[in-house]
Amino acid sequence: MLTMIKRWRALRKRGVMGINERNGDFVLKYNNRKFYPYVDDKIITKERAIAAGINVPEMYGVIETESDIKHLRKILKDKTEFVIKPAQGAGGDGIIVIGDKFDDYRYKTVSGRLITLDEIEYQISSTLTGLYSLGGARDRALIEYKVSSDPIFSSISYEGVPDIRVIVLMGYPIMAMLRLPTRQSGGKANLHQGAIGVGVDIETGKTLEGTWLNEIIQRHPDTNNHVSNVTLPNWEGFLELATSCYELSQLGYIGVDMVLDETKGPLVLEINARPGLNIQIANNAGLAARARKVEAHLAELKKAGKPAESIAERMAFSQQYFGDSMVESLEG
């Protein structure tokens, strides 16, 4: 714990962003509330992404009402692997991840638990009532492709699928983190449930050190393998996806969550309009310093009468100024 306190104190001197600053200077300033449905509803996000040509897990079907539940068997007819999730859920609650079909009426979750079709239908019914949604509002259930994690993560992850979060300000990726499932998190890539957050060098896609349960760590607690110095495949693809989500969401300050599928490559899972701040600890760097750098750059472009930069130009700017080798010069 003392190590974590020292880390926070050091970060404050190097441009760390606090929650009030995040909310007042970035979320409220750059995120128009009328566009929140684009990211708060996973089905709307997916539909917009598909229309824009942005790679996402395939959507098998949507259950909108109780009467729609009767269509579930038809949707799942030829499926042995799939995911069911609340459209407006948060924190991973209410998600069912099926890894195999046991017989005509039972499925096996990725954790090995057998679940009947009736149980799945019951959970979908609970989802529709808003049990897992933001604010308890009526919801919809999404059935989609189950991501197969890339083998590169087999030595540094436990059971579930790791994901990559990138914070994007006005279309410029400013910080990235790999989230690794653990036994503690039940195979979910959720930091609050016990997953590991590992910083990622924006320039190279190489992992840095990790943070787990408020402690700085070097090794995965379940595999005992080092989590640092792993170069993520297709890093340029991840950055391009994250950068393009600025236009997709119409929001200026977002967290883009992506996964690396074994055969399909980088895919966007969801977009968050209020991304958390633990990413700073994993990167040993402050978000505010990088965000102010982007704001200054945008002001310079405006003053010079230059047009908005392309996705490739925004990526190049971020890789030039926010790589791990540039952290000290930017924040010192």
Side-chain angles (χ1 to χ4, degrees), residues 26 29 65 105 183 195 197 205 224 233 243-244 257 303 311 317 332:
F26 297 97
K29 181 178 179 180
T65 65
Y105 298 99
R183 186 186 300 272
N224 202 35
T243 304
S244 64
D257 295 340
K303 184 177 180 180
I311 289 175
F317 175 89

Side-chain angles (χ1 to χ4, degrees), residues 176-223:
M177 171 175 63
L178 172 66
R179 296 184 293 198
L180 300 171
T182 64
R183 186 186 300 272
Q184 174 92 15
S185 70
K188 295 180 180 179
N190 187 297
L191 298 186
H192 299 296
Q193 295 179 356
I196 299 170
V198 183
V200 179
D201 182 353
I202 281 279
E203 180 182 7
T204 64
K206 183 176 290 188
T207 60
L208 307 173
E209 61 185 3
T211 175
W212 181 57
L213 301 178
N214 293 324
E215 294 290 341
I216 304 301
I217 63 168
Q218 305 297 329
R219 296 174 180 269
H220 193 289
D222 300 310
T223 70

Side-chain angles (χ1 to χ4, degrees), residues 6-39:
K6 290 179 180 178
R7 177 63 62 89
W8 268 111
R9 287 173 178 169
L11 285 175
R12 287 195 65 83
K13 295 179 180 179
R14 299 169 58 190
V16 69
M17 183 185 293
I19 192 166
N20 290 333
E21 183 178 14
R22 181 203 68 174
N23 293 342
D25 292 356
F26 297 97
V27 173
L28 290 176
K29 181 178 179 180
Y30 293 111
N31 291 351
N32 190 321
R33 292 197 65 85
K34 73 178 182 180
F35 297 125
Y36 272 38
Y38 291 172
V39 301

Side-chain angles (χ1 to χ4, degrees), residues 102 106-109 112-116 119:
F102 189 73
R106 289 183 294 178
Y107 295 86
K108 186 178 290 186
T109 69
R113 181 172 71 92
L114 288 179
I115 183 171
T116 66
E119 289 175 303

